[in-house]
Amino acid sequence: MTDNNEHSKTKLLIVEDDLHIAKLLERFLVSEGFHVEHCDNGYDAAEQIKKTMPEVVILDMLLPGKDGIEICREVRPFYQKGILMLTAQDDDLNETMALNSGIDDYLTKPVRPHVLLAHINALLRRLNAEPPKTTVQVQDLVISKDNRTVLRGESAVALSDSEFELLWLLALQAGETVKRDDLFLMLRGKPYDGIDRSIDMRVSVLRKALQKNNPENEYIKTLRHKGYILLK
């Protein structure tokens, strides 16, 4: 059992027409510290989701009125939190349809309580994770992944695609040593063989491009036998 305080303010909504299953799930999840509400049909599910806005909806596939996929499609325009489908239908077609309709996770009944809890926690972690960085500023450079540009003030720094990819990897760990082996694997898709100098050459070209209009400034430092640092 987890620390009840961990989930003390986390709302869940169970949409399940089998009252026995719903009560078992509710009892277990309440014991884990969640605030749990229940809807027993597909007619009212969308309205209850809109009203309560839970962190996660545990949604049955087959329900009176509307099925789980219909409900998911109905609520996705206003509900962007987690939907976990819990169903007795164990086949690839239904799972594919569910995931394509906007379901975040899919479990088949019967499910062991601790497995359900692990999936809910994993879904909460994904929902609460910080969005990945799309812009990084290092020294006088503003590096944007979305439009693949590097700006120094209002002036663009001209880089090839391969040079930008290298700079972006270094920028994500600015001020830290990035090993040559790691760069080789990320950029070339295979382990470093100890002979290929293509990453070293790419770093050299990138360094010159960054210093072209600012030759006095040091951007990339080479640590012999260790790797490279994009200096903060």
Side-chain angles (χ1 to χ4, degrees):
M1 184 176 294
T2 59
D3 180 357
N4 287 350
N5 291 329
E6 180 183 353
H7 304 304
S8 60
K9 295 183 180 180
T10 305
K11 288 192 294 184
L12 306 180
L13 174 64
I14 299 170
V15 183
E16 169 64 70
D17 63 316
D18 186 317
L19 295 182
H20 177 67
I21 292 176
K23 287 297 181 185
L24 288 176
L25 292 178
E26 182 174 357
R27 190 177 302 122
F28 169 72
L29 293 170
V30 167
S31 75
E32 291 294 327
F34 292 99
H35 175 80
V36 182
E37 297 193 24
H38 173 229
C39 176
D40 64 2
N41 66 84
Y43 296 108
D44 301 325
E47 187 60 33
Q48 193 158 345
I49 291 170
K50 182 182 288 187
K51 179 180 177 181
T52 61
M53 293 301 285
E55 294 301 314
V56 175
V57 177
I58 301 169
L59 181 63
D60 189 21
M61 171 75 90
L62 298 179
L63 293 160
K66 297 178 182 179
D67 65 33
I69 290 177
E70 289 180 277
I71 293 166
C72 181
R73 288 173 176 161
E74 183 177 353
V75 303
R76 271 313 188 200
F78 63 84
Y79 179 77
Q80 301 303 319
K81 297 184 181 182
I83 301 180
L84 188 159
M85 180 160 279
L86 191 60
T87 176
Q89 296 190 320
D90 183 14
D91 63 81
D92 292 345
L93 178 59
N94 279 299
E95 183 173 357
T96 301
M97 288 175 57
L99 295 172
N100 286 338
S101 70
I103 298 293
D104 295 294
D105 200 357
Y106 187 98
L107 285 172
T108 54
K109 301 174 186 176
V111 61
R112 287 170 291 180
H114 69 276
V115 173
L116 175 62
L117 178 62
H119 279 255
I120 291 172
N121 285 334
L123 185 50
L124 288 171
R125 285 194 298 272
R126 295 203 300 271
L127 291 168
N128 294 326
E130 292 185 9
K133 290 183 178 179
T134 58
T135 302
V136 176
Q137 182 164 358
V138 181
Q139 297 191 43
D140 58 351
L141 304 174
V142 178
I143 308 159
S144 173
K145 188 180 181 183
D146 284 343
N147 52 19
R148 301 177 71 83
T149 60
V150 180
L151 296 177
R152 181 185 289 116
E154 296 182 357
S155 301
V157 178
L159 298 178
S160 67
D161 285 344
S162 62
E163 291 158 12
F164 181 87
E165 291 294 340
L166 171 59
L167 177 60
W168 181 252
L169 292 175
L170 293 173
L172 289 177
Q173 300 181 65
E176 301 176 16
T177 302
V178 183
K179 295 179 180 178
R180 179 193 288 109
D181 293 16
D182 294 340
L183 287 173
F184 199 93
L185 184 61
M186 289 184 285
L187 294 170
R188 299 295 303 278
K190 58 183 180 180
Y192 179 54
D193 61 8
I195 299 172
D196 192 323
R197 312 306 294 178
S198 59
I199 295 299
D200 300 317
M201 293 297 296
R202 196 181 300 186
V203 170
S204 178
V205 173
L206 175 60
R207 181 185 282 118
K208 291 176 182 176
L210 296 178
Q211 292 182 307
K212 184 176 181 181
N213 295 314
N214 195 2
E216 301 301 319
N217 201 35
E218 183 180 15
Y219 291 99
I220 301 174
K221 184 175 182 178
T222 301
L223 298 180
R224 189 174 177 82
H225 304 307
K226 292 183 179 180
Y228 303 96
I229 302 177
L230 184 65
L231 299 172
K232 286 186 175 181

